[in-house]
Amino acid sequence: YANVNLICEIAERLKVDAVMPMWGHASENPALPSLLKAIKSHRISFIGPPAEPMQALGDKIGSTIIAQSAGVPVIGWNGNGIIIDYEKDGLSDEIYAKANVITSEDALECSNRIGYPVMIKASEGGGGKGIRKVLKAEDVFTSFRQVQAEIPGSPIFIMSMASKARHLEVQLLADKYGNAIALSGRDCSIQRRHQKIIEEGPAVAAPINLFKKMEASAVALAKTVGYCNAGTVEFLYMEETQTYAFLELNPRLQVEHPVTENILGINLPCCQLQVAMGIPLHRIADIRKMYGRHKLGKDNIDFDYTERAVPPRHCVAVRITAENPEASFRPTGGNIQELKFMSSIDVWGYFSVGGSGNIHEFSDSQFGHIFASGPDRESARR
């Protein structure tokens, strides 16, 4: 599923109309939309963002440079002060290189300048890999080499560590005509080893007026690079100072997207498909209903000045993992002896294995997801 050349070969041979990778490695690889576009035999649409904004925003270093240039708040990092005009000049290799920490000595100098504690991060890392917390200068060299070894060849950057911060994210949807909207958000703060365990939406940790500013920042970032289709902008929210900072953008659908679907009553993959077909946001039925318009209407909607009319429900999602709590929650393989789950309207689950299925120790430890929703947070929690 991550073999881009194989995907393109099959798509061309079977004369498919479109490729929809959803999530996973292929969904964030700009080579996939580029290679599909290069196929000459027939037109194949990529149901996701174009290669250029995916390349720019899917990279943690590049996206942070673009975010701070667009006026989005960012946390202190080694690339502070690098400003570009993306619409005019794009993001050149020379500018990118200024924010790429190459050697251990560079890492020490940047860490001392930023101030401890810091996080050393691989730009191509994720899911808890390629990230180290450093509390003092003596640990920089070791941590830097560990990040290099975990994600070989990845550019590396260093950012200030935000203590007592929450991990909040904004769901984006943008069409081919420059329109972009924020579809509420999710709180993904409960994590283990930098991997999400419990997610909920809407995010109630931040005041409503502040979260609206986060939504506006996410939309501004999307419009700056001409983003199209679904994506998620992740922020750190500092409760003590009531401030937020850009973290990264995921140029794809999130695994936890049913949280947003449950709270707003929309179908995100359906919206992705319609955007890829060239339908503008104001003509998509789910979006129109969310803004209080008739689902089959044709009138335009000024999304910058129109509030969502749908009062959000609440949804709590939990990831089901194969881990041993007596061994520091280490991923554990073995056979599933029995697995039964009855979905209902308000409680829905999916699993990647069935009864008598096998989980091997080399896979991601998550094998299921349960989403519980209700009119308010307490009913969803129960």
Side-chain angles (χ1 to χ4, degrees):
Y1 68 93
N3 189 328
V4 168
N5 290 325
L6 180 62
I7 293 170
C8 293
E9 177 189 316
I10 294 171
E12 184 174 18
R13 176 161 46 86
L14 299 182
K15 293 183 168 50
V16 305
D17 296 309
V19 171
M20 189 174 191
M22 303 292 280
W23 53 78
H25 296 296
S27 67
E28 295 185 87
N29 189 342
L32 181 54
S34 293
L35 289 174
L36 289 172
K37 192 175 181 180
I39 291 174
K40 303 296 184 184
S41 59
H42 68 289
R43 178 181 172 183
I44 303 176
S45 295
F46 176 72
I47 304 180
E52 293 77 15
M54 183 192 291
Q55 179 83 48
L57 293 178
D59 179 274
K60 295 179 176 63
I61 292 176
S63 62
T64 307
I65 293 173
I66 294 169
Q68 66 187 18
S69 301
V72 178
V74 300
I75 203 160
W77 72 300
N78 63 282
N80 272 128
I82 300 176
I83 302 296
I84 62 172
D85 185 339
Y86 183 83
E87 293 182 63
K88 179 183 176 184
D89 305 317
L91 177 60
S92 68
D93 293 340
E94 292 76 20
I95 295 293
Y96 185 95
K98 290 183 179 180
N100 185 4
V101 180
I102 304 293
T103 66
S104 301
E105 290 74 22
D106 290 339
L108 180 60
E109 187 275 324
C110 291
S111 300
N112 289 338
R113 174 161 47 87
I114 294 168
Y116 299 92
V118 299
M119 305 293 283
I120 300 178
K121 301 179 70 173
S123 185
E124 297 171 6
K129 289 186 177 181
I131 181 172
R132 289 293 185 279
K133 177 173 70 174
V134 181
L135 301 177
K136 55 186 186 295
E138 298 82 73
D139 297 335
V140 170
F141 280 26
T142 301
S143 299
F144 183 79
R145 284 193 288 267
Q146 288 174 340
V147 171
Q148 280 183 315
E150 273 188 14
I151 314 291
S154 171
I156 294 175
F157 67 106
I158 300 173
M159 60 185 287
S160 176
M161 191 185 87
S163 301
K164 299 180 181 177
R166 283 183 175 267
H167 184 158
L168 307 184
E169 54 189 35
V170 174
Q171 176 68 56
L172 275 177
L173 186 68
D175 63 21
K176 296 181 177 181
Y177 311 102
N179 300 304
I181 57 174
L183 300 174
S184 189
R186 302 178 288 262
D187 188 333
C188 305
S189 302
I190 301 176
Q191 303 181 11
R192 185 191 306 126
R193 296 189 301 271
H194 306 290
Q195 287 188 302
K196 300 167 184 174
I197 298 295
I198 298 176
E199 302 114 342
E200 66 173 314
V204 296
I208 293 176
N209 62 330
L210 187 73
F211 195 81
K212 285 185 176 180
K213 291 181 180 179
M214 293 170 67
E215 290 184 323
S217 292
V219 169
L221 184 60
K223 289 184 175 181
T224 296
V225 298
Y227 193 85
C228 180
N229 220 273
T232 297
V233 183
E234 301 188 355
F235 294 97
L236 290 174
Y237 166 60
M238 282 62 76
E239 293 182 279
E240 289 184 349
T241 58
Q242 297 274 288
T243 57
Y244 67 93
F246 172 80
L247 188 60
E248 62 181 273
L249 183 142
N250 292 305
R252 55 172 170 80
L253 198 64
Q254 297 281 90
V255 175
E256 63 269 22
H257 71 89
V259 171
T260 296
E261 296 183 318
N262 274 300
I263 64 178
L264 293 180
I266 63 173
N267 183 328
L268 275 173
C270 177
C271 292
Q272 284 188 285
L273 182 60
Q274 292 177 82
V275 165
M277 292 166 65
I279 300 174
L281 292 181
H282 73 273
R283 294 295 304 276
I284 295 176
D286 277 0
I287 303 302
R288 292 188 60 80
K289 287 190 297 181
M290 204 169 57
Y291 284 87
R293 309 297 177 89
H294 190 280
K295 65 179 184 178
L296 299 180
K298 298 181 181 180
D299 57 304
N300 208 344
I301 302 173
D302 189 339
F303 294 109
D304 291 333
Y305 298 99
T306 308
E307 293 284 333
R308 288 192 297 266
V310 178
R313 290 162 57 83
H314 203 91
C315 181
V316 176
V318 294
R319 301 192 182 201
I320 310 301
T321 56
E323 298 176 345
N324 185 354
E326 296 178 359
S328 301
F329 293 94
R330 187 173 298 138
T332 305
N335 287 317
I336 301 271
Q337 295 179 349
E338 185 178 8
L339 177 61
K340 290 184 178 179
F341 185 82
M342 300 295 290
S343 291
S344 65
I345 292 175
D346 289 334
V347 183
W348 175 76
Y350 69 82
F351 300 85
S352 55
V353 295
S356 303
N358 179 266
I359 296 176
H360 61 76
E361 64 270 25
F362 305 107
S363 64
D364 189 298
S365 60
Q366 180 187 346
F367 68 92
H369 225 140
I370 294 177
F371 302 85
S373 58
D376 52 49
R377 192 186 190 204
E378 179 61 14
S379 60
R381 184 188 71 80
R382 287 184 178 278

